[in-house]
Amino acid sequence: MNTILCDELLQEIFLRLPPPSSSAVSLVSKRWLRLYRSSITLLFLRLYPHTSPPPSLSSFLSSFPFLSSLSLTTFGAVSVGDTWTFSDQLLLSTASSCPNLRHLRLFIGPVSFFPLLSLSTSCPHLTSLSIALSRPLSFHWLLLFHSLKDLSVAFTTVAGELDSDQFNSSSKSVGNSDATIRNSDAELQLESLGLSGIRPGDYGLDWLWRSCKKLKKLQLRSCEGVGDEPSLSSFVKCLSRLHEVELRTCRAIVDEVLQKLAENCTSLKSLLVYDGGSREGLLQFISETHCNLQKLDLRLPLDLENNHLLAMAENFRGLTVLRLQSCCLVTGEGLKTIAIAMNQLEELALINCDVVEREPGLLTTLGQDLRRLRKLDLSYNELLGDKEFTSMLASCNSLIELKLRGCKVLTNSAILSMTRSCKLLESVDIMDCCGIDVDAVELFVLNCPELRKIWVEESKVSDVARSRASKKFIGKVV
């Protein structure tokens, strides 16, 4: 077979193999190893800083000529003194070895300008970049990345050298003038931007907010501000065009951002708020916003109450996705109101919400009102019982995704109900469900015709289930 099949046919076969089998083909022969690597477009590498010098990384990456997505991280932390040098060397090695790269993720340490310049010239098709930068902040280097659509930046406290003067002196060699660099009308191609660790007085963000005229998605994580004082007005203008906003652990600024969204943004479709904001600020946004919100994801243990749910039912009737996590103050009354007003919901998540366990019959009522549900997540409701769960499933026959991770009281009866009621299930998560055993998992795998992925402990996968999963290309995540 090593000589009968041509290279193109073998590569096509390798692309269609399931993950558990694909890596084994590289052991057959040197030819198969070469062809297998040529068929790989995505790599995730975890490096040892002292045993993976950049020259060896460059040589290794060169054997993957069609690599388009690369993620680099390390085992353990790199010492502060070596962080900058190591991350710069990794970036240079990547730039010299991966000309077809589209997506790069490198959060090992802050990078400096010259490796970014090398990356922009060597990887002209790069569309997604995730890196760390140090202060003082500068974003003028983004003008060199003409194809970049998605940027994620984590700001660190490591002393750095990435500044505007360095960019100015270098960019003249590629035809940019100082006037162009400072042009307030610069228009970046960015559509998605994620920033982590912004401080109130951070300089340099004003230019970034002004230049993101095509931005559709904004993610802020662990931010205490949006930049220095001139940055605020530019930030507000940037908000007016957004479709998606995510605010994670940004307690200092959540209320202000939500207020500005309510006042200035009518295009918002999706909002995620994790661990931040106040009851009043959230209620004000829900009551005053004029956007047609379609997706809402909240993890607000002490800030979300029934009056918020009632306001949602009144103002967010177009909602198709609602995700609530650890919301301990809401009651069944609020959730039932939501279900009646939003009977078009396609995705519902009630993760670690004790109201699910506290109020008998709640899930049954929700299931009857939400018959269009396609995705349901009840993870980490540890006391959720078979009776409540199966009563809900009787009405939810259109589910394609079901997550029950950490529901420790559920038993084999729950699996039997899933097999009978949910014939369209494609993805199921039953990790850490202590009451579900190997026989139930086998029954489910054999009798769920559309199943494509299951999260379950290896100890609960029988030989029969494993064989069935292999034949049907069902992915097991254990």
Side-chain angles (χ1 to χ4, degrees), residues 161-445:
E161 302 172 356
L162 183 60
D163 55 38
S164 299
D165 292 337
Q166 188 180 33
F167 174 81
N168 294 347
S169 61
S170 301
S171 60
K172 291 176 183 178
S173 63
V174 293
N176 289 326
S177 66
D178 289 347
T180 300
I181 296 167
R182 294 191 298 267
N183 188 355
S184 61
D185 293 326
E187 185 169 312
L188 301 176
Q189 300 303 308
L190 289 178
E191 297 177 0
S192 177
L193 177 63
L195 301 175
S196 176
I198 303 176
R199 295 174 179 173
D202 277 340
Y203 175 81
L205 287 159
D206 180 42
W207 181 88
L208 180 63
W209 299 131
R210 291 200 315 267
S211 303
C212 289
K213 296 180 174 64
K214 297 183 178 181
L215 199 65
K216 303 300 180 185
K217 181 177 181 179
L218 176 64
Q219 300 169 297
L220 299 179
R221 182 188 295 269
S222 302
C223 294
E224 300 175 0
V226 295
D228 57 1
E229 187 172 347
S231 301
L232 181 58
S233 60
S234 302
F235 174 73
V236 172
K237 291 180 181 179
C238 184
L239 288 181
S240 65
R241 299 179 288 268
L242 294 179
H243 292 179
E244 297 181 53
V245 173
E246 296 185 6
L247 305 170
R248 300 174 186 265
T249 59
C250 297
R251 282 195 167 270
I253 63 171
V254 167
D255 283 352
E256 184 175 7
V257 173
L258 290 178
Q259 180 185 351
K260 299 302 182 183
L261 282 171
E263 294 173 352
N264 299 278
C265 183
T266 59
S267 57
L268 191 67
K269 304 296 183 183
S270 175
L271 175 66
L272 179 151
V273 182
Y274 276 13
D275 189 25
S278 66
R279 300 175 186 178
E280 296 77 12
L282 183 61
L283 184 59
Q284 181 180 8
F285 169 79
I286 296 171
S287 303
E288 297 181 4
T289 184
H290 299 290
C291 64
N292 182 25
L293 205 64
Q294 297 175 5
K295 179 179 179 180
L296 185 60
D297 190 337
L298 303 174
R299 185 174 66 188
L300 305 165
L302 299 178
D303 298 317
L304 193 70
E305 299 178 326
N306 269 6
N307 56 347
H308 296 97
L309 299 185
L310 298 178
M312 290 179 203
E314 179 67 25
N315 297 319
F316 294 158
R317 292 182 179 273
L319 211 63
T320 58
V321 178
L322 177 62
R323 299 184 59 84
L324 304 178
Q325 182 171 344
S326 304
C327 298
C328 58
L329 298 181
V330 300
T331 69
E333 178 185 356
L335 290 174
K336 291 174 184 177
T337 304
I338 285 279
I340 294 172
M342 305 177 185
N343 55 16
Q344 77 287 346
L345 270 182
E346 297 179 2
E347 180 177 347
L348 175 66
L350 299 173
I351 303 170
N352 189 30
C353 292
D354 59 357
V355 65
V356 171
E357 307 155 2
R358 190 173 63 234
E359 300 194 22
L362 172 61
L363 290 185
T364 303
T365 303
L366 295 182
Q368 292 170 350
D369 290 329
L370 301 174
R371 294 177 181 270
R372 297 184 183 181
L373 278 183
R374 302 280 284 169
K375 299 181 180 181
L376 177 62
D377 190 346
L378 298 174
S379 299
Y380 300 108
N381 290 296
E382 296 186 355
L383 299 180
L384 174 61
D386 291 339
K387 183 178 179 180
E388 287 290 309
F389 175 65
T390 56
S391 296
M392 184 178 192
L393 285 193
S395 303
C396 298
N397 306 124
S398 300
L399 290 178
I400 61 171
E401 180 177 297
L402 180 59
K403 296 182 180 180
L404 302 170
R405 181 177 293 237
C407 295
K408 299 180 178 180
V409 179
L410 291 181
T411 69
N412 294 346
S413 296
I415 294 293
L416 183 61
S417 178
M418 290 162 54
T419 304
R420 291 174 175 172
S421 302
C422 305
K423 299 293 186 181
L424 303 179
L425 278 175
E426 299 175 5
S427 176
V428 172
D429 187 345
I430 49 175
M431 287 285 287
D432 301 322
C433 294
C434 308
I436 298 175
D437 63 23
V438 62
D439 293 333
V441 173
E442 179 180 306
L443 174 70
F444 182 70
V445 172

Side-chain angles (χ1 to χ4, degrees), residues 1 15 18 38-39 79 84 103 122 128 131 151 157 166 173 210 315 334 397 414:
M1 183 176 292
L15 287 172
S38 296
S39 69
S79 61
W84 192 288
H103 311 278
S122 301
S128 176
I131 56 172
L151 175 67
T157 56
Q166 188 180 33
S173 63
R210 291 200 315 267
N315 297 319
N397 306 124

